[in-house]
Amino acid sequence: MTTLTPHHLRRELNEEAHARPYAAIPSPARLTSLSLYYDFDDAPQRAALADLAERIGLPAPLAEQAYYSASAGDLTVRWSLHTEFARYTFIVGGDCADPFERTALDRIPAAWLRELPGVVLVALHAVLLPAERETELADMSSRWFGGRDLIGAEIGDGNGAAYTDLRLHPDARLAEGFSRYVVVDRAMGASQSGRMLQRLFELETYRMLTLLALPIAKKQMRDLDNLGIALRAITERMAAPDGNGSDAQLLSELTGLATRVEQLIAESQYRFSAAHAYYRLVEARISELREQRISGMQPFREFMERRLSPAMNTCETVARRQDRITARLQRTTALLRTRVEVLHEEQNRALLASMDRRAALQLRLQETVEGLSVGVLTYYMVSLLHHLLAAVEAAGMHLNVELLTGLAIPLVALTVWLSMRRLKASLNKGQDAHQDSELLR
């Protein structure tokens, strides 16, 4: 009887710990690992796996599974899907006189290989040998590695050994060739051998994925150099006394540089972040090998540190340069904007001073017009009064029209002037009240 309510992801999260189990690989065995890089659309990868299963008589994979393992006779096919790559591992048990001439990949249909989606990032052949088949290093190098210096170490606390030269050897199925690994099972057993081989395959895959960021970093080094030179030229033009270029033009050029920097960051940010994550996985897989140095041979950790650490330092340097040039652009743009704002404030002060002068001039003109208006109105009113007095005189009343008209002039002028002042005061009071009401709103 169920009384507890489980989280809806409990089973999925619990099964994640068992999502990609190691294979138990008894020695001797031949293995081929292919890591295919793809552009985040995993549908073609799933379709290719289903096609392979149908061609060689394996059970059909489930629609959404990210891991698959099945066997047909002595051939085992393992497949795992990751964020940006899919890995196939083909395992064939049994001894073989020349394991790098007759590889596990010979058991895979050539037509299917030609139609594989994605691009090959890692391709390697490996052989797992029992302890009695282990030979001298010089003999192993000359036989399988073209006489080159080998990289390797005892692994699994000395229970096995792994050797490679990390070079590409000819193979008819891939123009660039395949890498080669030789793993010796001294006392590991099938389970530990499977774990160690998978770690070596993952180590090689994550090493290559880490290095994908290096070409981007090298290219952006030159781009950032050019952007730095352009920014310095703009800064010098800003500081020039004669102002070489208008502020609007300088601001437009700064905006263009900032846009280009953001494009560079967008192009590299994901790849640099992924490189850091893959580099940590490389370090983790090396630790899991539990390697012990073989006298006179460079171990995996030392080789990876010497090759990958400079690459990661280059990526980190480019990322820091991106941040520095972004900060410089921000400071330069802020400085230019400040200069433009100061210039605008000076222009605004000059405009306000000009407006004050115009207002004063308008006030004087208004006062002049008011004076003329008083004179005009006085003239017309006195003229009307003169005609009125003349009419009264013509009617028979004895009046001195000229004297009365002359005496009326100052009285009429004073009356007109007082009336205009009262009207002006009333208009100003109404305007002030309107402004106050607008402010209250």
Side-chain angles (χ1 to χ4, degrees), residues 217 220-221 224 265 268 272 276 313-326:
Q220 290 205 0
M221 279 281 197
L224 291 171
I265 293 174
S268 62
F272 287 173
H276 281 286
N313 291 337
T314 301
C315 295
E316 291 172 1
T317 299
V318 171
R320 287 195 296 269
R321 290 190 63 188
Q322 289 174 348
D323 293 339
R324 285 198 298 270
I325 198 168
T326 299

Side-chain angles (χ1 to χ4, degrees), residues 11-142:
R11 179 172 296 277
E12 179 181 345
L13 296 177
N14 183 72
E15 295 303 321
E16 183 64 26
H18 312 284
R20 294 181 174 88
Y22 297 103
I25 308 174
S27 59
R30 288 165 289 155
L31 303 92
T32 296
S33 178
L34 297 175
S35 294
L36 304 172
Y37 187 81
Y38 65 94
D39 294 329
F40 302 103
D41 181 10
D42 58 16
Q45 299 297 331
R46 296 180 183 277
L49 175 64
D51 183 31
L52 176 63
E54 183 179 357
R55 285 175 185 257
I56 61 178
L58 296 175
L62 300 178
E64 296 300 325
Q65 70 182 107
Y67 166 79
Y68 175 84
S69 180
S71 299
D74 62 347
L75 172 65
T76 299
V77 175
R78 294 170 60 84
W79 174 87
S80 58
L81 188 68
H82 302 262
T83 304
E84 53 184 351
F85 72 96
R87 181 191 295 114
Y88 288 88
T89 303
F90 307 106
I91 308 169
V92 175
D95 203 357
C96 179
D98 197 338
F100 293 113
E101 290 297 328
R102 296 179 58 192
T103 67
L105 203 59
D106 295 340
R107 305 287 296 275
I108 305 303
W112 180 82
L113 288 173
R114 286 193 296 269
E115 297 169 0
L116 264 179
V119 292
V120 177
L121 181 65
V122 175
L124 62 89
H125 297 306
V127 57
L128 175 64
L129 299 175
E132 59 270 17
R133 289 281 308 278
E134 185 175 6
T135 62
E136 295 292 333
L137 293 179
D139 178 62
M140 189 184 303
S141 174
S142 62

Side-chain angles (χ1 to χ4, degrees), residues 220-359:
Q220 290 205 0
M221 279 281 197
R222 296 188 293 271
D223 294 336
L224 291 171
D225 287 340
N226 295 332
L227 287 171
I229 293 172
L231 179 57
R232 184 168 61 249
I234 292 176
T235 306
E236 291 173 353
R237 288 164 57 192
M238 287 175 56
D242 55 350
N244 187 7
S246 66
D247 288 341
Q249 180 183 354
L250 292 174
L251 187 58
S252 176
E253 294 178 12
L254 285 173
T255 303
L257 291 182
T259 301
R260 180 57 183 149
V261 172
E262 290 301 320
Q263 289 174 345
L264 293 179
I265 293 174
E267 292 170 3
S268 62
Q269 188 174 43
Y270 171 78
R271 196 72 263 161
F272 287 173
S273 299
H276 281 286
Y278 289 130
Y279 183 59
R280 288 193 294 270
L281 288 173
V282 167
E283 293 179 324
R285 295 300 178 267
I286 292 176
S287 297
E288 291 168 359
L289 288 176
R290 304 192 305 280
E291 62 177 353
Q292 299 175 1
R293 180 183 290 273
I294 297 175
S295 179
M297 180 175 292
Q298 190 176 24
F300 290 101
R301 180 178 297 279
E302 182 178 317
F303 178 85
M304 294 300 174
E305 286 179 352
R306 290 189 59 188
R307 300 307 189 275
L308 287 184
S309 293
M312 293 307 303
N313 291 337
T314 301
C315 295
E316 291 172 1
T317 299
V318 171
R320 287 195 296 269
R321 290 190 63 188
Q322 289 174 348
D323 293 339
R324 285 198 298 270
I325 198 168
T326 299
R328 287 177 57 196
L329 278 166
Q330 291 174 348
R331 290 194 300 269
T332 305
T333 303
L335 179 62
L336 182 59
R337 289 185 183 278
T338 301
R339 190 172 79 174
V340 170
E341 290 173 0
V342 170
L343 179 61
H344 284 174
E345 289 178 0
E346 292 178 353
Q347 293 175 346
N348 290 337
R349 283 197 297 270
L351 180 61
L352 290 174
S354 175
M355 292 175 63
D356 290 341
R357 289 193 297 270
R358 291 174 59 185

